[in-house]
Amino acid sequence: MAIVAAHNLRRPDAGIQRPFGVRITLKVGDPFRKLLGADWNKTHWYGSAASRKHEYSRPGDKPALKFDKVEKLHESRGL
């Protein structure tokens, strides 16, 4: 599936290590699984493990997607 607004995605900067990530997947029963496939996922990488609550979320809102923390520490440690 093509990215419609690729200009809105963060471009990886050369030389900047981003060992901390978030893998986004679809929850079981999500109707988008029929379009994207049950194994669809997207991973976003960051330079820090710091996180914060999304400022536009309302109390009681729950994400429609599944977010899992991932790390690639072997690169940041020089192993």
Side-chain angles (χ1 to χ4, degrees):
M1 175 178 257
I3 301 295
V4 175
H7 62 280
N8 288 331
L9 296 176
R10 174 180 280 173
R11 290 178 177 81
D13 299 320
I16 296 177
Q17 293 186 358
R18 298 181 192 276
F20 303 97
V22 176
R23 179 173 294 119
I24 304 167
T25 55
L26 298 170
K27 291 182 177 181
V28 174
D30 189 315
F32 275 105
R33 290 171 73 103
K34 292 179 182 176
L35 296 171
L36 300 176
D39 60 345
W40 177 87
N41 70 79
K42 177 72 176 167
T43 305
H44 297 275
W45 295 101
Y46 303 94
S48 164
S51 65
R52 60 183 169 78
K53 184 175 170 32
H54 189 272
E55 58 265 14
Y56 301 112
S57 296
R58 299 170 297 188
D61 279 354
K62 294 184 179 166
L65 301 170
K66 184 176 178 229
F67 299 89
D68 296 305
K69 292 181 183 180
V70 292
E71 296 180 358
K72 54 180 179 181
L73 295 178
H74 61 280
E75 290 180 19
S76 65
R77 294 180 184 160
L79 299 176

